[in-house]
Amino acid sequence: MGLGIGMGLRVGVVGGGQLARMMIPPAVNLGIELHVLSEAEGSSARLAATQIGDFRDINTVVKFAEGLDVLTFDHEHVPRAVLDAVAGAGVPIRPSADALASAQNKLVMRDKLVALGLPVPRWAVATTTADVSEFLATFHNQPVIAKTPSGGYDGKGVREILGPSEVTDWLGDGPVLLEEKVMFVAEVSQLVARSPSGEMQTWPLVETRQSGGVCVEVIAPSSASEFTSNHARHIASTIAEELGVTGVLAVEMFLMESGDLLINELAMRPHNSGHIFTELSLTSQFEQHLRAVLDLPLGSTDLIAPAGVMVNIFDGVDQVGVRSALRANPSLKIHDYGKSARRGRKVGHVSLIGTEWESLLHLARIGASEITGNPVP
Amino acid sequence: MGLGIGMGLRVGVVGGGQLARMMIPPAVNLGIELHVLSEAEGSSARLAATQIGDFRDINTVVKFAEGLDVLTFDHEHVPRAVLDAVAGAGVPIRPSADALASAQNKLVMRDKLVALGLPVPRWAVATTTADVSEFLATFHNQPVIAKTPSGGYDGKGVREILGPSEVTDWLGDGPVLLEEKVMFVAEVSQLVARSPSGEMQTWPLVETRQSGGVCVEVIAPSSASEFTSNHARHIASTIAEELGVTGVLAVEMFLMESGDLLINELAMRPHNSGHIFTELSLTSQFEQHLRAVLDLPLGSTDLIAPAGVMVNIFDGVDQVGVRSALRANPSLKIHDYGKSARRGRKVGHVSLIGTEWESLLHLARIGASEITGNPVP
């Protein structure tokens, strides 16, 4: 690009999904050159794709990373050997390979959370069906949750089970994480961003609503008490600091009737539960992630309205639906992930900000329904 | 891109400047494919550049426009013959060639404004030095303003003159527009967006501050009375409707002590005076321009904070300066145009939103100064 072209910092993103796509707007604003390694042509982040290739191939990723100021990720599936090769070539990886290793394996992460004294559901590691039976017996053979240690997302790799036969397929591949089925009053998510120099910024706690293990709606801020909200910030900040996370970290938690929090899942990257902050906060999670991995000073996470809601769009987006939705509500903000239509596929989201979430949620659901042609939930 | 990929509407932009660049974020959000025709490699909008070529060449632009849903512009300099050829090939041009013809020639526009009964400074057309002397005599040989009918921007093509000898060079090329030197209390700008189906949305009136004929700061909203603000909306809406403008129109006006408005300049595209609405309004001028030229329903222009300020960045942006500015103010929003540094060149802007403009302007000036290393004005 020659010299002295604005900021001109170069950030590489492995993975061309919607998270990489949504890094494009803040990169354009801040004058950051975004380079995306996509697995295939026509990815969500195709506008910024500079290379098509397999993120599991060392040579591909090392070549992609050449000349970058930092390498970061749209997903957590890059193998350790690939990360080590890039780091060996002198390109900073953020979050680091060590931090990512915790995020890639739920058993490793569980050990770290326990060592840090952070609240998690009751759990066990099962390597045999006998282990599974023993854990079930603890809960009087009521349903428990089984999780594969790695590779799971959006409800994949997670099952509610009543007997050991339901996880024999997984046990063949190695140990399985078992957890009590938590009777929560709400699911919440705490986002935090941390830079290599140790600066941290948190956003307000949000409430997430899932269907079939997939996040469908987010309400911000959560109606949890100030005490609980502060506790959530403390939990997320502790994880970010103790694990040396750089970039955005999302900590999904169960909110109990007592006000207690139990950690459910973590994601070491921008996360679906933080999309509302693109409209609701002075600094979006995507801008903050770029600032954090570049060790730029972090932005204010102040809210610019009292409340906001995000509703995911599944299946497909079409021009007629978008027109209807925009006509019905001039305040609706649409985020189209540029994906082809497919039943059950997350293809976008809508956001609304305003004074209170109930009416916003009603309107956002109508908007999402107009876009997809599916009925309002 | 194949079929059924989200919205998938294709917008072509002639010109790869910062206005085209700032259309990228809303295009990404809305799932609009942006295609930019840049004059050279490395333009501000290079991320979305799909072709490099000369916008004055009919074949280049016709080829670029193939398959687009609409063609729009980063600047107003595309020759009529080129526009007609694209329209002849069946690609909608918005704003239309007829509307652009008014914007391209100040004498044509002046006639239209007068025919519409809209307020303009006292003026005359000079084709000879005698014409210039006569106009100067009307003002008792006090300074008057001379403007070339076309090609002027950012203070170019505008001179304050005291005698006919100061425009003899321009008179050689054709008629010159002469205007009284208006004793205004403020310069203001009214933005309006209009879609082909006639829908219109205006943003609140803003105050612009210039230095050497170049906009340096914008304060939103302007402190003009409600009556004057409504009058400004009426003027801009009348022009948009009567001239059949599609997309964003900016009307720069002089605000007189009486509260009267006199039209100074027009731009049929997103405009520097509207940049603050990216942060301050629910719908930025760039998103609105894309929605308007595609005849999508327009977005709400409601403000999300009581006040906002924009300060332009000149000369150059550098990594150290950006770090200082972001560290000093976590609320500062930076827009880097991705341009190489050059003395006097507009290379970006900063924005702040909040409760009152005086303190915001003070902080934004400090931010801009940190970025450039120039002293705070």
Side-chain angles (χ1 to χ4, degrees):
Chain A
M1 299 305 314
L3 47 87
I5 312 280
M7 272 262 285
L9 290 168
R10 293 187 173 103
V11 175
V13 185
V14 177
Q18 64 262 30
L19 301 178
R21 179 189 181 94
M22 289 187 271
M23 291 179 201
I24 298 173
V28 166
N29 290 345
L30 285 169
I32 293 165
E33 274 182 43
L34 206 64
H35 295 238
V36 171
L37 173 64
S38 285
E39 283 186 77
E41 301 280 353
S43 71
S44 268
R46 57 191 172 274
L47 184 63
T50 53
Q51 198 176 318
I52 309 296
D54 185 347
F55 63 82
R56 289 159 299 203
D57 181 69
I58 289 181
N59 288 338
T60 297
V61 183
V62 168
K63 177 168 167 282
F64 170 71
E66 246 173 51
L68 296 176
D69 290 292
V70 63
L71 186 73
T72 189
F73 309 93
D74 169 82
H75 59 70
E76 290 143 336
H77 309 313
V78 182
R80 178 72 193 231
V82 174
L83 300 175
D84 288 342
V86 173
V91 177
I93 296 178
R94 291 176 188 152
S96 70
D98 282 348
L100 278 169
S102 315
Q104 285 173 336
N105 188 299
K106 289 178 187 179
L107 295 173
V108 173
M109 179 58 84
R110 189 56 50 112
D111 283 335
K112 300 216 174 191
L113 296 178
V114 170
L116 291 170
L118 295 172
V120 295
R122 283 179 287 172
W123 64 291
V125 184
T127 53
T128 65
T129 52
D131 294 340
V132 179
S133 298
E134 189 188 338
F135 191 73
L136 277 160
T138 319
F139 294 94
H140 310 291
N141 295 311
Q142 292 299 302
V144 301
I145 306 299
K147 295 176 174 177
T148 55
S150 61
Y153 69 99
D154 274 358
K156 293 174 186 69
V158 178
R159 288 179 193 159
E160 185 176 315
I161 63 164
L162 269 166
S165 65
E166 295 174 67
V167 286
T168 41
D169 54 337
W170 287 354
L171 286 168
D173 296 331
V176 170
L177 175 63
L178 300 176
E179 284 183 358
E180 68 172 312
K181 187 182 173 193
V182 172
M183 294 298 128
F184 53 80
V185 293
E187 291 184 79
V188 293
S189 178
Q190 177 64 55
L191 272 82
V192 58
R194 184 175 173 277
S195 65
S197 54
E199 189 187 355
M200 284 201 281
Q201 278 281 2
T202 56
W203 286 266
L205 187 68
V206 301
E207 179 180 340
T208 63
R209 296 183 177 183
Q210 345 287 324
S211 171
V214 180
C215 175
V216 291
E217 295 171 351
V218 169
I219 293 157
S222 138
S223 54
S225 70
E226 197 184 332
F227 181 86
T228 298
S229 298
N230 286 339
H231 188 206
R233 287 182 200 258
H234 174 72
I235 290 171
S237 301
T238 301
I239 297 170
E241 186 151 340
E242 295 296 332
L243 269 58
V245 177
T246 45
V248 168
L249 167 73
V251 183
E252 296 183 275
M253 291 172 277
F254 299 117
L255 174 61
M256 312 303 289
E257 198 159 10
S258 61
D260 284 350
L261 294 165
L262 295 175
I263 297 168
N264 180 21
E265 301 285 352
L266 291 96
M268 250 174 230
R269 49 171 172 74
H271 187 256
N272 197 166
S273 61
H275 291 352
I276 185 58
F277 295 121
T278 298
E279 280 79 24
L280 188 61
S281 168
L282 272 178
T283 308
S284 78
Q285 62 171 340
F286 300 102
E287 176 174 345
Q288 200 78 296
H289 187 75
L290 291 174
R291 288 165 74 154
V293 299
L294 283 165
D295 208 12
L296 292 169
L298 299 182
S300 164
T301 53
D302 287 354
L303 300 192
I304 56 177
V309 300
M310 189 266 348
V311 174
N312 279 330
I313 297 168
F314 295 92
D315 305 338
V317 168
D318 70 63
Q319 294 175 17
V320 175
V322 168
R323 278 173 205 273
S324 304
L326 293 176
R327 188 170 300 112
N329 190 343
S331 299
L332 192 76
K333 291 295 144 191
I334 294 180
H335 294 262
D336 177 349
Y337 301 162
K339 293 181 173 181
S340 53
R342 195 172 68 209
R343 189 83 198 147
R345 190 179 210 188
K346 204 187 289 174
V347 294
H349 72 266
V350 295
S351 294
L352 278 174
I353 61 171
T355 49
E356 52 81 32
W357 66 266
E358 284 95 341
S359 59
L360 295 175
L361 184 58
H362 176 69
L363 293 170
R365 285 174 172 176
I366 291 174
S369 156
E370 296 261 18
I371 290 169
T372 57
N374 294 331
V376 180
Chain B
M1 298 305 312
L3 46 88
I5 312 278
M7 274 263 283
L9 291 169
R10 294 187 172 102
V11 175
V13 185
V14 177
Q18 64 261 33
L19 301 178
R21 179 188 182 94
M22 288 186 272
M23 291 180 202
I24 297 173
V28 166
N29 291 345
L30 286 168
I32 294 165
E33 274 183 42
L34 206 63
H35 296 237
V36 170
L37 173 63
S38 285
E39 283 185 78
E41 302 281 354
S43 70
S44 267
R46 55 192 174 272
L47 184 63
T50 54
Q51 198 177 318
I52 308 295
D54 185 347
F55 63 83
R56 288 159 299 203
D57 180 69
I58 290 181
N59 289 337
T60 297
V61 183
V62 167
K63 176 167 168 283
F64 170 71
E66 248 173 50
L68 296 176
D69 290 293
V70 63
L71 186 74
T72 189
F73 309 94
D74 169 82
H75 59 69
E76 291 143 334
H77 309 312
V78 182
R80 178 74 192 228
V82 174
L83 299 175
D84 288 342
V86 173
V91 177
I93 296 178
R94 292 175 187 153
S96 70
D98 281 349
L100 278 170
S102 314
Q104 286 174 335
N105 188 301
K106 288 178 187 178
L107 294 174
V108 173
M109 178 60 83
R110 188 54 53 110
D111 283 334
K112 301 216 172 190
L113 296 178
V114 170
L116 291 170
L118 295 172
V120 295
R122 283 179 286 173
W123 63 291
V125 184
T127 53
T128 64
T129 52
D131 294 339
V132 179
S133 297
E134 189 187 337
F135 190 74
L136 276 160
T138 318
F139 295 94
H140 309 291
N141 295 312
Q142 292 300 300
V144 301
I145 306 299
K147 295 176 174 178
T148 56
S150 62
Y153 69 99
D154 274 359
K156 294 175 187 69
V158 177
R159 285 179 194 159
E160 184 176 316
I161 63 164
L162 270 166
S165 64
E166 295 174 66
V167 286
T168 42
D169 54 338
W170 286 354
L171 286 169
D173 296 331
V176 170
L177 175 63
L178 300 176
E179 284 183 358
E180 69 173 308
K181 187 181 173 193
V182 173
M183 292 299 129
F184 54 81
V185 292
E187 291 185 81
V188 292
S189 178
Q190 177 64 54
L191 272 82
V192 59
R194 184 175 174 277
S195 66
S197 54
E199 190 187 353
M200 284 200 283
Q201 279 280 4
T202 55
W203 286 266
L205 187 68
V206 301
E207 179 180 340
T208 63
R209 297 184 176 182
Q210 344 289 324
S211 171
V214 179
C215 175
V216 291
E217 295 171 350
V218 170
I219 293 156
S222 137
S223 55
S225 70
E226 199 185 331
F227 180 86
T228 297
S229 298
N230 286 339
H231 188 208
R233 286 183 200 258
H234 174 73
I235 289 171
S237 301
T238 300
I239 296 170
E241 187 152 340
E242 295 295 332
L243 269 58
V245 176
T246 46
V248 167
L249 167 74
V251 184
E252 295 183 275
M253 291 172 279
F254 300 117
L255 174 61
M256 311 302 289
E257 197 159 11
S258 60
D260 285 350
L261 295 165
L262 295 175
I263 298 169
N264 180 20
E265 300 287 350
L266 290 97
M268 252 176 229
R269 50 170 173 74
H271 187 254
N272 197 166
S273 60
H275 291 352
I276 185 58
F277 296 121
T278 298
E279 280 79 24
L280 188 59
S281 167
L282 273 178
T283 308
S284 77
Q285 62 170 342
F286 300 102
E287 176 175 345
Q288 200 79 297
H289 187 76
L290 291 174
R291 288 166 74 153
V293 298
L294 283 165
D295 208 13
L296 292 169
L298 299 182
S300 165
T301 53
D302 286 355
L303 299 191
I304 56 176
V309 300
M310 190 267 347
V311 173
N312 280 330
I313 297 167
F314 294 91
D315 305 337
V317 167
D318 70 61
Q319 296 174 16
V320 175
V322 168
R323 276 172 205 274
S324 304
L326 293 176
R327 188 169 300 113
N329 189 344
S331 299
L332 192 75
K333 292 296 144 191
I334 295 181
H335 294 262
D336 177 348
Y337 301 161
K339 293 180 173 181
S340 53
R342 196 172 66 210
R343 190 83 198 147
R345 191 180 208 189
K346 205 189 289 175
V347 294
H349 71 267
V350 294
S351 294
L352 278 175
I353 60 172
T355 49
E356 52 81 33
W357 66 265
E358 283 95 342
S359 59
L360 296 175
L361 184 59
H362 176 69
L363 293 171
R365 284 174 174 175
I366 290 173
S369 153
E370 296 262 17
I371 291 169
T372 56
N374 293 331
V376 180

